[in-house]
Amino acid sequence: MATGTAYRVCPLCEAVCGLELTLEAGRVVKARGDGAHVLSHGFICPKGAAFPQLVNDPDRLRLPMVRRGADWRVVSWDEAFDAVAHGLRGVVERHGREAVAVYLGNPTVHSLAYGFYISPFLKALGTRNRFSAATVDQMPKHVACGYMYGDPLAIPVPDLDRTSFVLLLGANPWESNGSLATAPDFRGRLKDVQARGGRFVVVDPRRTATAAHADRHLAIRPGTDALLLFALTHVLFAEGLVNLGRLEEHVRGVEAVRSLAQDFTPARVAAATGIAAEDIVALARELAAAKAAAVYARIGTCTVEFGTLAQWLVDVLNALTGNLDREGGAMWPLAAHMPAVPARRRGFVTGRWRTRVRGLPEVLGEMPTATLAEEIDTPGEGQIRSLFTVAGNPARSAPNSKRLERALGDLELMVSVDPYLNETTRHAHVILPPTDASRTGHYDFAFTALAVRNHAVYSRPAIAPGPDDLDDCAILSRLAAIASEQAWEYDSSEPERRLDQALRAGAYGLSVEQLLARPHGIDLGPLRPRVPEVLQTPDGRIDLCPEPIAADVARLRATLEHRNGDSLVLIGRRHLRSNNSWMHNLPMLVAGPDRCTLHVHPSDAARVGVSSGQDARVTSRVGSVVVAVEVTDAIAPGVVSLPHGWGHRGPGLRLSTATEHAGVNSNALTDELVVEPLSGNAVLNGIPVEVEPAPVDGAG
Ligand code: SF4
């Protein structure tokens, strides 16, 4: 029985902090920050401390289950895989391979399986119906980087430890610990910017915890970040503040950006954004004057109707101020599994195929998750009849998730690789639960490639897996064998062998052996300039004004003429103790006051007749929810806010703690018919809603 101390990376969010696990009699009994970890230096948040509750959760499924009607039966792994093989064969025979779809959730990327087994599984299924959380929260960043740099995964991150000015839009790292920028103790790193004499400014409709600690908070109207960013660009050109520095010879399209920015004067965008023209001018000057600066924008700017334009303009501003690819600016990490020089220039295109019902373009080989429900519930050739979900809960994370839930109930075969019987997996016919994170090896492919300091960490399982434990590498490998109708050949040392090969071929020539000898990780140093080798555009230059993005500017320009009406708009919010839907079953994380409340500004509360503690009914085009109100001046007038990932209600859930803290599902209000056109990303912020006092009986 494992006893003692083990080290592993926390798999619960993008910060990938080092954990020190205390083991007793084959169980993890305590988690604290690994003080010697090369990137996190002992930092953890409450979610990391709850790691023992997560891996020991009594509601966690340990063995596969098969459903007939409402009855679940625990079965052997062989029986479960036989059920999958039989069901899949039938669906493919009746409807073809395009009738099979896959949805990959966020936690997928924290696994060794992400590096080695997802791709073969998708290839074996042979379907274009691939969906993931990327089109729920981040696809605009991939599209912007794809067009600008030729590689949608080449995402520059703020060089937080060396910068003197950070402009954050739609990001709340005080609570989220950062996203698409891996920086354990993000808040500490921002405080250090201030301690070095620098500043950080937050643009957000809410006075978030990050905004409350900022040197300046600008409360913007939801969904108008692209207007603000364009106005900042305009000021840089108008005042002669453009200076590309070292990148001058590597960039094309500067004059085209200048021309596009002409209409977006600070005075013209002020009304739409709610930010005064003089504040915009001052911000542009401060950004240009900073010794080193980084513009960083996250989910609040991605999940809106102009997400790709906003993400593009973030990088445009970094480039025009000479901060792209320079110390203290926005830089590209180089992870240990990545080659120093990408193999070939391949450029970037979208729309190689389109969704069946709405005709939306694929992006990165994926269909927009906002279209998943209609692809299931709309009859016709190519209709999805079978779905595999991997570590995802689209019944809570997809827009208009009530429609999706109804659709899931009609599938001929649904298979979920997931440890919980939740709002999504209750519709599955087979659940394949991977063993918990204390029994798996860990190397983070995704987030070492987004880290603000280059580093590498690998850990073997802290506790030896039992005879009935299968990790997601083994499960996905076997599903790939089933889908390709081949014999399953796999041994549990295979992922580590493949990791070793990837590390040896990587930029630093490391090996698994070297990483195992350094359980707190190997520090590979600060970020280094990577232009031009990081660029994969056909001509090897940064395209500052890609044609598909430029063509979308007219749509944005048209909003300059709009005037904000009286309608309230809904936005989301993050809390330190929550990460999407999957950690609400841990008592440590849901203790304390109800967090799933509707934030309403006092002036709006008075106007619509609601008050703190009272229930309000919130109604959008697609549905309504009844939720407790919290009146607060931390939210801008005209805006209301609900956190996402809640609403743990419905028959058949096995989430004993989460159902006691059910909350309401914000995606019962979001609209699947509104997507960001370039990326297919769901629009989850800026949803028009009506708020009124709930009927006394609370019926919604
Ligand atoms: S910040 Fe993220 S990675 Fe770090 S301990 Fe918390 S959940 Fe884990």
Side-chain angles (χ1 to χ4, degrees), residues 54-108:
L54 182 70
V55 297
N56 298 320
D57 187 346
D59 284 338
R60 198 180 177 100
L61 307 180
R62 301 281 171 189
L63 287 168
M65 301 214 300
V66 170
R67 180 174 64 84
R68 282 250 158 69
D71 296 329
W72 286 100
R73 196 163 54 88
V74 173
V75 297
S76 69
W77 284 101
D78 282 343
E79 192 177 338
F81 284 118
D82 284 348
V84 175
H86 176 76
L88 181 62
R89 201 176 306 121
V91 169
V92 171
E93 279 171 11
R94 288 189 296 279
H95 310 291
R97 288 200 170 259
E98 291 302 333
V100 184
V102 183
Y103 178 86
L104 304 175
N106 261 328
T108 315

Side-chain angles (χ1 to χ4, degrees), residues 496-526:
E496 189 172 287
R497 263 202 323 275
R498 295 180 68 174
L499 175 63
D500 190 59
Q501 287 165 3
L503 290 170
R504 287 177 190 277
Y508 308 89
L510 294 174
S511 66
V512 160
E513 192 183 359
Q514 285 172 293
L515 265 57
L516 285 172
R518 308 272 288 277
H520 311 289
I522 295 179
D523 179 22
L524 298 169

Side-chain angles (χ1 to χ4, degrees), residues 536-691:
Q536 296 199 46
T537 47
D539 68 355
R541 298 168 80 195
I542 295 170
D543 186 354
L544 208 62
C545 196
E547 192 278 330
I549 292 180
D552 197 35
V553 173
R555 192 172 62 92
L556 180 69
R557 194 180 292 115
T559 67
L560 285 169
E561 311 311 325
H562 290 174
R563 288 290 164 263
N564 294 326
D566 284 342
S567 158
L568 291 168
V569 293
L570 176 72
I571 62 169
R573 70 175 186 269
R574 266 300 284 268
H575 191 280
L576 182 61
R577 291 171 181 266
S578 180
N579 182 6
N580 303 327
S581 67
W582 69 295
M583 275 179 267
H584 298 155
N585 207 47
L586 310 185
M588 271 175 78
L589 297 181
V590 290
D594 182 10
R595 297 193 190 98
C596 189
T597 57
L598 184 76
H599 283 186
V600 186
H601 188 269
S603 62
D604 294 319
R607 183 164 59 84
V608 302
V610 297
S611 54
S612 279
Q614 182 188 356
D615 279 350
R617 177 152 58 193
V618 188
T619 306
S620 72
R621 182 193 78 80
V622 306
S624 71
V625 299
V626 171
V627 60
V629 168
E630 208 176 328
V631 177
T632 168
D633 66 2
I635 190 101
V639 185
V640 293
S641 166
L642 259 183
H644 74 280
W646 297 86
H648 302 297
R649 290 193 177 86
L653 303 182
R654 192 175 298 177
L655 297 165
S656 49
T657 300
T659 49
E660 283 175 13
H661 303 265
V664 301
N665 173 16
S666 66
N667 280 315
L669 298 169
T670 53
D671 192 336
E672 84 283 19
L673 297 184
V674 186
V675 298
E676 199 275 330
L678 289 171
S679 65
N681 207 94
V683 172
L684 306 180
N685 279 299
I687 311 298
V689 291
E690 288 179 9
V691 176

Side-chain angles (χ1 to χ4, degrees), residues 137-327:
D137 63 12
Q138 68 184 51
M139 197 57 98
K141 187 82 237 178
H142 292 301
V143 171
C145 292
Y147 284 131
M148 295 178 79
Y149 314 125
D151 179 355
L153 302 180
I155 295 174
V157 302
D159 185 13
L160 284 177
D161 298 342
R162 294 182 291 183
T163 194
S164 53
F165 182 77
V166 191
L167 172 60
L168 302 101
L169 302 101
N172 185 13
W174 229 264
E175 306 272 6
S176 71
N177 289 301
S179 175
L180 296 184
T182 287
D185 194 16
F186 205 124
R187 66 171 78 173
R189 292 171 197 262
L190 285 175
K191 284 182 189 169
D192 287 347
V193 173
Q194 292 170 319
R196 293 195 294 272
R199 283 163 51 86
F200 73 92
V201 173
V202 171
V203 175
D204 199 294
R206 288 178 57 226
R207 190 174 64 246
T208 61
T210 310
H213 290 85
D215 297 280
R216 184 100 201 256
H217 169 216
L218 298 168
I220 193 169
R221 180 83 178 160
T224 65
D225 305 271
L227 291 174
L228 171 66
L229 292 162
F230 242 140
L232 294 172
T233 307
H234 175 99
V235 175
L236 294 182
F237 282 114
E239 300 198 354
L241 299 174
V242 170
N243 177 5
L244 278 78
R246 186 182 72 83
L247 290 196
E248 187 89 47
E249 63 181 298
H250 300 288
V251 175
R252 64 184 152 89
V254 176
E255 284 310 307
V257 173
R258 179 202 296 270
S259 165
L260 287 175
Q262 250 167 12
D263 290 341
F264 297 90
T265 63
R268 285 192 81 189
V269 309
T273 59
I275 299 179
E278 57 268 30
D279 287 337
I280 298 173
V281 172
L283 185 56
R285 289 175 183 163
E286 184 168 21
L287 181 63
K291 192 163 156 244
V295 184
Y296 166 71
R298 252 318 267 138
I299 194 158
T301 63
C302 277
T303 53
V304 292
E305 290 186 60
F306 298 97
T308 300
L309 284 176
Q311 291 301 328
W312 162 64
L313 287 163
V314 163
D315 285 29
V316 164
L317 281 169
N318 283 327
L320 292 179
T321 52
N323 285 303
L324 185 62
D325 202 40
R326 90 157 176 205
E327 285 182 18

Side-chain angles (χ1 to χ4, degrees), residues 9-19 40 43-49 110 176-177 184-185 576 579 583:
V9 161
C10 176
L12 304 182
C13 91
E14 297 183 33
V16 296
C17 304
L19 296 181
S40 58
F43 174 85
I44 57 167
C45 80
K47 296 188 291 293
H110 287 282
S176 71
N177 289 301
D185 194 16
L576 182 61
N579 182 6
M583 275 179 267

Side-chain angles (χ1 to χ4, degrees), residues 317-551:
L317 281 169
N318 283 327
L320 292 179
T321 52
N323 285 303
L324 185 62
D325 202 40
R326 90 157 176 205
E327 285 182 18
M331 305 188 77
W332 284 278
L334 182 59
H337 61 275
M338 295 161 65
V341 179
R344 63 194 167 90
R345 300 193 194 288
R346 54 178 185 261
F348 177 72
V349 292
T350 68
R352 293 165 294 175
W353 50 87
R354 290 181 173 264
T355 64
R356 179 181 64 102
V357 177
R358 226 184 298 177
L360 295 178
E362 65 72 37
V363 179
L364 266 74
E366 292 190 21
M367 304 302 206
T369 290
T371 68
L372 179 55
E374 70 202 28
E375 293 294 333
I376 298 172
D377 68 20
T378 307
E381 189 161 346
Q383 180 183 7
I384 292 172
R385 302 306 303 137
S386 171
L387 176 67
F388 287 74
T389 68
V390 183
N393 191 2
R396 286 298 168 272
S397 54
N400 194 358
S401 50
K402 279 196 173 168
R403 178 179 178 184
L404 180 59
E405 271 203 89
R406 282 193 300 274
L408 295 180
D410 283 340
L411 289 166
E412 293 175 25
L413 172 70
M414 180 169 160
V415 179
S416 290
V417 180
D418 203 289
Y420 281 113
L421 188 42
N422 63 23
E423 299 82 3
T424 294
T425 61
R426 72 188 178 89
H427 298 283
H429 299 93
V430 183
I431 301 182
L432 306 168
T435 191
D436 69 71
S438 68
R439 291 171 167 80
T440 59
H442 186 92
Y443 174 87
D444 222 298
F445 292 96
F447 300 114
T448 51
L450 290 164
V452 298
R453 191 172 174 95
N454 293 317
H455 73 292
V457 194
Y458 172 63
S459 54
R460 284 182 172 157
I463 297 169
D468 285 329
D469 290 333
L470 280 195
D471 65 14
D472 40 11
C473 293
I475 293 171
L476 287 162
S477 146
R478 186 144 176 191
L479 288 177
I482 288 170
S484 57
E485 299 191 32
Q486 304 210 331
W488 185 46
E489 288 175 22
Y490 177 83
D491 81 75
S492 57
S493 65
E494 186 180 291
E496 189 172 287
R497 263 202 323 275
R498 295 180 68 174
L499 175 63
D500 190 59
Q501 287 165 3
L503 290 170
R504 287 177 190 277
Y508 308 89
L510 294 174
S511 66
V512 160
E513 192 183 359
Q514 285 172 293
L515 265 57
L516 285 172
R518 308 272 288 277
H520 311 289
I522 295 179
D523 179 22
L524 298 169
L527 305 184
R528 292 192 295 265
R530 293 195 60 211
V531 169
E533 73 267 11
V534 75
L535 304 175
Q536 296 199 46
T537 47
D539 68 355
R541 298 168 80 195
I542 295 170
D543 186 354
L544 208 62
C545 196
E547 192 278 330
I549 292 180

